[in-house]
Amino acid sequence: MSTKYNESPFLYKRRPTREVKVGDVGIGGKNPIRVQSMITSNTRDTEESISQIKDLIQVGSEIIRLTVPSQADADNLPNIRKRMKELGLHVPLVADIHFTPQVALKSVEWVEKVRINPGNFADKKKFDVYEYTDQEYEEELERIEEVFTPLVLRAKELGVAMRIGTNHGSLSDRIMNRFGDTPLGMVESALEFIKIAERNSYKDIVVSMKASNPQVMIHAYRLLVSRFYELGMDYPLHLGVTEAGDGTDGRIKSAIGIGALLEDGLGDTIRVSLTEDAVHEIPVAIELVKKYNQLWLATEKAENGFKNPNQNEREFIQISNQSNLKEFRDPFAYSRFYSRETNADGLLFGDGNPVRVETTYPFLAESTSETILSDIQKNAKSGRIPDLIHFQIQTEMDLLVASEMTKLGRFPLPISITLSSDLQKDYEGHLEEIYKFQKWNIPISQHYLESQESFEGILEIVTRFAKDKRSVEWMFGANELNLVPIVLKETQKRNIQNVCFSLKNADLIQIRTLAYHLRESDYAIVLHWQSEDWDDLLYSSSIQVGGSLLDGIGDLVRIEHHESPIDSLYLSFDILQATRLRLTKTEYISCPSCGRTMFDLQTTTAKIKEKTSHLKGVKIAVMGCIVNGPGEMADADFGYVGAGIGKVHLYKGKEIVRKGVPESEAPDQLIELIRENGMWTDPE
Ligand code: SF4
């Protein structure tokens, strides 16, 4: 199978697609990446639906979806349309359909797009285990074609678009039995429906491959696009991480999954699914697409030749000029990029060690060690404590004090340092102090490389340093990738073992290029992102650091917000949690809720989190309805699923173990269930 899944893994280029019109909003083609959301009201409630549509338009949603679970909901669509017209609300609507082909046929008359889920459009989910013969499988496909074709023909006739939206958690029994619960199964599930549509010459299709686990989702989209290249299909993609949850965790998961694919040049419209009011989803979506829509604008201008390029355009020219490197990974499955074990005085990173966390604290002499000790105590139980402390040493006096404190054992953890540019100029004069630290981060300023002599000098010291089990980090700026091969060659020539490399504030494609350069030398890689703007740090590090980790790249994470070391420490661990590379807290999978939800999902999720957030590594799903909830809970250990007004079913894995529990008792019964299964620990 070809490994081609985008235009290039080493330079940014948005994948060309056909344009699909959703009303007057184009998706794919020459259009920017569109942002969209979904209202959570009951579709039969016209006024509430209108109020939510109005709010979403106001925050910038370009397309709006609503759930249409029954004939009665479909019957109310004309009223919603009429009211929208009266109020001058102009936005394309999408009808979300599960299990009900007849409802789809009714809805298609009143919307600009219909979303169907191939896992349940014509199949009931029974979780049956059954080996289908080829003939039985074919017969199933014929049955689906019969049910699906009328919708295709009517959509074609009306000029209505369609999203074929596969979800990891709701694959049909037929797909599950043949392909398993895998990205391949997700792709095949969508292709079966696309092929039926194409047999009817209908191509106004957008495709999605959502999962609550960003890793599964990224692999499924890449695999889908690789099949599209093989089959000559050019359908636009709708990106989303489903059941991402709320708050920072929901934003991080969404940024990793959606952002990593946008970096790959994939994605034409996105929806961020949060267990929060829908209006909160759009600002996050806008933040995620911002950079890529600027790049898209630059692409448009590039086609006509840049005149006086601005900063973004210059960056665009730079990344577009990178040479064509060869793929060196399997982009469809996770595998850790191999790096040698590196030792910073007993702290091992690289090779089979977990990805380590390095946290930057301001160096304030005496008070620094107190702050670090108090942060360690606070987080000891969860294990969310730094593996390595990093100081940026500004003055000679600070260097002396810090090295003295290190010598006296005043820091409870290994320390790494970076010297200010003034101190770097005389590293030889400060060698005695530098030598007391376990890791020395050396920014590759022109200062070292400007003469062969100064470069030789530092290489000699690094050789000695590394031999004594102190590690050295060669630090490059994101735009200094061209210097990596020069330093690498000399490092290898001297057989220096204990060094690692980093690129500060680098995009995923740049980090991938660094890994490409290091693929034979196997030096460990530090993922380093710094910003004093918290939102920028949250989204950029989630996309670039999280995306790199899911590419299997990165041995040590250093995320810096100088004013708040503790928050950057938590952010590092939250990214590791979302990539599932290091679990230090409970994992929640909660749906965004919709018109099918029978309880206040946000309050319930908050209540459950309050009682269970100390359960390291346990996965708990909180889902709004019995129709899609059980299928969409993915690999949760326990499920809390709405089963009618005031009633909840509790699940252990995919099995219902307590039925119709009154809502008021359900959180406590969930705890009992976790306890019975030996996964409960009392909070501190
Ligand atoms: S699981 Fe949640 S979002 Fe999905 S259909 Fe049910 S209530 Fe709606």
Side-chain angles (χ1 to χ4, degrees), residues 544-647:
Q544 314 302 351
V545 172
S548 302
L549 289 169
L550 286 184
D551 248 28
I553 300 168
D555 305 291
L556 184 67
V557 167
R558 180 172 59 246
I559 293 174
E560 293 179 315
H561 185 273
H562 293 140
E563 274 181 21
S564 183
I566 193 76
D567 288 330
S568 35
L569 170 73
Y570 292 152
L571 176 56
S572 307
F573 277 111
D574 287 345
I575 291 175
L576 286 168
Q577 173 95 17
T579 53
R580 300 209 181 168
L581 293 178
R582 211 167 148 183
L583 300 181
T584 47
K585 61 182 190 180
T586 319
E587 177 74 15
Y588 295 99
I589 298 155
S590 60
C591 79
S593 91
C594 72
R596 292 181 190 265
T597 316
M598 298 292 186
F599 57 91
D600 183 341
L601 203 91
Q602 290 180 38
T603 320
T604 307
T605 307
K607 228 186 268 171
I608 291 173
K609 277 191 165 182
E610 201 187 307
K611 289 174 190 274
T612 59
S613 61
H614 61 289
L615 299 174
K616 199 162 141 179
V618 177
K619 296 189 225 89
I620 299 174
V622 186
M623 310 298 286
C625 77
I626 193 78
V627 184
N628 285 333
E632 306 280 356
M633 313 195 285
D635 58 350
D637 300 309
F638 301 96
Y640 180 111
V641 181
I645 295 170
K647 296 276 182 245

Side-chain angles (χ1 to χ4, degrees), residues 57 126 176-177 202 442 509 682:
I57 293 174
K126 300 193 196 103
M176 288 281 274
N177 280 292
Y202 175 74
I442 306 176
I509 50 177
D682 286 329

Side-chain angles (χ1 to χ4, degrees), residues 105 108 144-156 200:
L105 265 179
V108 72
I144 286 165
E145 183 147 6
E146 213 170 285
V147 181
F148 184 45
T149 301
L151 177 65
V152 169
L153 291 176
R154 190 62 184 144
K156 186 175 151 194
N200 292 287

Side-chain angles (χ1 to χ4, degrees), residues 208-250:
S208 64
M209 298 274 118
K210 296 193 189 182
S212 63
N213 180 341
Q215 189 181 108
V216 173
M217 171 254 187
I218 290 170
H219 292 150
Y221 276 100
R222 286 181 180 166
L223 199 60
L224 174 76
V225 177
S226 117
R227 292 284 282 138
F228 278 177
Y229 280 122
E230 276 169 22
L231 297 166
M233 292 177 177
D234 61 354
Y235 297 109
L237 299 177
H238 164 125
L239 303 184
V241 175
T242 188
E243 282 85 39
D246 61 359
T248 309
D249 289 336

Side-chain angles (χ1 to χ4, degrees), residues 235-286:
Y235 297 109
L237 299 177
H238 164 125
L239 303 184
V241 175
T242 188
E243 282 85 39
D246 61 359
T248 309
D249 289 336
R251 283 160 178 77
I252 291 175
K253 260 193 205 174
S254 303
I256 294 176
I258 296 171
L261 290 164
L262 292 173
E263 277 289 313
D264 274 337
L266 304 180
D268 304 284
T269 176
I270 73 167
R271 189 238 169 153
V272 171
S273 306
L274 298 176
T275 309
E276 294 178 22
D277 291 345
V279 285
H280 294 155
E281 296 180 347
I282 292 297
V284 181
I286 290 174

Side-chain angles (χ1 to χ4, degrees), residues 90-269:
H90 187 73
V91 72
L93 290 185
V94 185
D96 196 55
I97 307 288
H98 296 267
F99 298 107
T100 45
Q102 286 314 316
V103 173
L105 265 179
K106 199 160 221 176
S107 306
V108 72
E109 307 290 328
W110 298 100
V111 291
E112 283 77 15
K113 186 165 145 214
V114 175
R115 180 267 168 132
I116 61 124
N117 178 342
N120 60 30
F121 183 75
D123 291 288
K124 291 270 175 288
K125 187 93 187 136
K126 300 193 196 103
F127 299 103
D128 279 347
V129 177
Y130 179 74
E131 187 80 23
Y132 287 82
T133 63
D134 286 349
Q135 195 193 335
E136 283 169 328
Y137 202 89
E138 273 313 306
E139 282 165 10
E140 281 287 286
L141 289 180
E142 280 165 26
R143 179 181 64 80
I144 286 165
E145 183 147 6
E146 213 170 285
V147 181
F148 184 45
T149 301
L151 177 65
V152 169
L153 291 176
R154 190 62 184 144
K156 186 175 151 194
E157 207 173 336
L158 294 168
V160 169
M162 190 180 298
R163 169 155 68 98
I164 297 187
T166 302
N167 277 11
H168 179 226
S170 57
L171 295 171
S172 66
D173 288 347
R174 175 174 42 78
I175 287 283
M176 288 281 274
N177 280 292
R178 181 149 288 199
F179 299 98
D181 185 7
T182 60
L184 180 63
M186 293 169 73
V187 171
E188 287 306 318
S189 169
L191 284 175
E192 288 175 358
F193 278 71
I194 294 171
K195 286 175 184 166
I196 296 171
E198 285 195 342
R199 278 198 283 280
N200 292 287
S201 310
Y202 175 74
K203 292 193 169 186
D204 290 329
I205 296 169
V206 179
V207 189
S208 64
M209 298 274 118
K210 296 193 189 182
S212 63
N213 180 341
Q215 189 181 108
V216 173
M217 171 254 187
I218 290 170
H219 292 150
Y221 276 100
R222 286 181 180 166
L223 199 60
L224 174 76
V225 177
S226 117
R227 292 284 282 138
F228 278 177
Y229 280 122
E230 276 169 22
L231 297 166
M233 292 177 177
D234 61 354
Y235 297 109
L237 299 177
H238 164 125
L239 303 184
V241 175
T242 188
E243 282 85 39
D246 61 359
T248 309
D249 289 336
R251 283 160 178 77
I252 291 175
K253 260 193 205 174
S254 303
I256 294 176
I258 296 171
L261 290 164
L262 292 173
E263 277 289 313
D264 274 337
L266 304 180
D268 304 284
T269 176

